[in-house]
Amino acid sequence: MRIGVSWDLAELHDDTPAAWKRAVSEAVSADGLGYDSVWITESREPGGCPAPAVMLTWLARQTRNVLLREVRGVCVANPVRIAEEVAVLDVFCRGRAGLAFASAGGQGVPVQRVHETHDFVTCAWAADEMRYSGEHVRFPLHTPDDTEVGASTPGPGRDYLPQWEWGP
């Protein structure tokens, strides 16, 4: 059996700096006690953690074994940003990073949006060059409307340019 601990820091209704310090201290203790994972939930409520990857990157230096997981929403952050942040966290924690998405109902978004974000992030981690076309997620933004749904790679005619090379 695996046991982890999690925090939605906005629910602690505590002084923000004190709550965050307590969560870090508890995470370090959990690592020493043999817990499997620590989870930080993204929240933009007062006292919440709007950037769990940043907090977990700090915890990567404080812990050795515990898995560092974050729970993200799909409403605010761009899926590209989510993929990048978790990838950087994974480098800093030597492969202990993980990601979960909050439920669609809890966020008030269509289930398909959560599924597309998950699909995009996992495809972005696996490919050097890719594009994604979905109802809710499109990358790069200039991906044609008639592109097949889901992830694809550039065609042999090189009709693809990375987002940053597209220009203004």
Side-chain angles (χ1 to χ4, degrees), residues 3 8 14 22 43 86 89 106 115 125 136 139 141 162 165 168:
I3 299 175
D8 182 346
D14 202 356
R22 190 171 71 237
S43 174
V86 177
L89 169 62
H115 287 280
W125 287 337
H136 304 280
F139 180 82
L141 293 176
E165 291 178 12

Side-chain angles (χ1 to χ4, degrees), residues 20 42 45 49 73 78 83 90 97 119 129 161:
W20 287 26
E42 174 186 38
E45 298 294 320
C49 183
N78 185 303
D90 197 53
D119 188 37
E129 290 184 358
L161 280 175

